Amino acid sequence: MDKKNALRAGALAAGTTLMMLLMSSPALALTRDDGDDPGKGLSVIQTLGLYVAIPLGLFAIIAGLVIVLDKSHPSHRVAKAGADKAKAKA
């Protein structure tokens, strides 16, 4: 991609971002809607547990199950380039 296209893409991305920021109005979030009934807030520990610990735990469980239940044979695995030559010399 030449410099002209890169500059055009950058200008387009910057312009789009600027327009999105200008058109959004976060100040309206301060006004309560009819029927709005917010609950009690989460503590820091609850937030970290919900958004960090539980996803990491689920990832670890799934990765562990994949590793433990792997039934593929070593002959079916893709070898690195040059690994066959090293076996042939031995």
Side-chain angles (χ1 to χ4, degrees):
M1 191 151 108
D2 60 346
K3 290 182 180 181
K4 189 182 230 182
N5 285 343
L7 184 62
R8 186 178 296 151
L12 181 67
T16 304
T17 304
L18 183 64
M19 288 304 294
M20 294 291 272
L21 286 173
L22 290 174
M23 295 186 80
S24 65
S25 54
L28 293 176
L30 297 175
T31 307
R32 293 253 184 243
D33 291 334
D34 290 338
D36 190 12
D37 189 21
K40 193 178 81 158
L42 295 175
S43 70
V44 174
I45 301 298
Q46 289 172 331
T47 304
L48 288 175
L50 185 63
Y51 294 109
V52 177
I54 291 175
L56 286 176
L58 288 173
F59 177 80
I61 290 169
I62 293 169
L65 286 172
V66 168
I67 291 170
V68 169
L69 300 175
D70 182 23
K71 302 285 187 200
S72 64
H73 297 285
S75 61
H76 293 165
R77 295 187 184 143
V78 177
K80 292 181 184 175
D84 294 331
K85 293 178 184 177
K87 288 182 182 178
K89 289 182 182 179

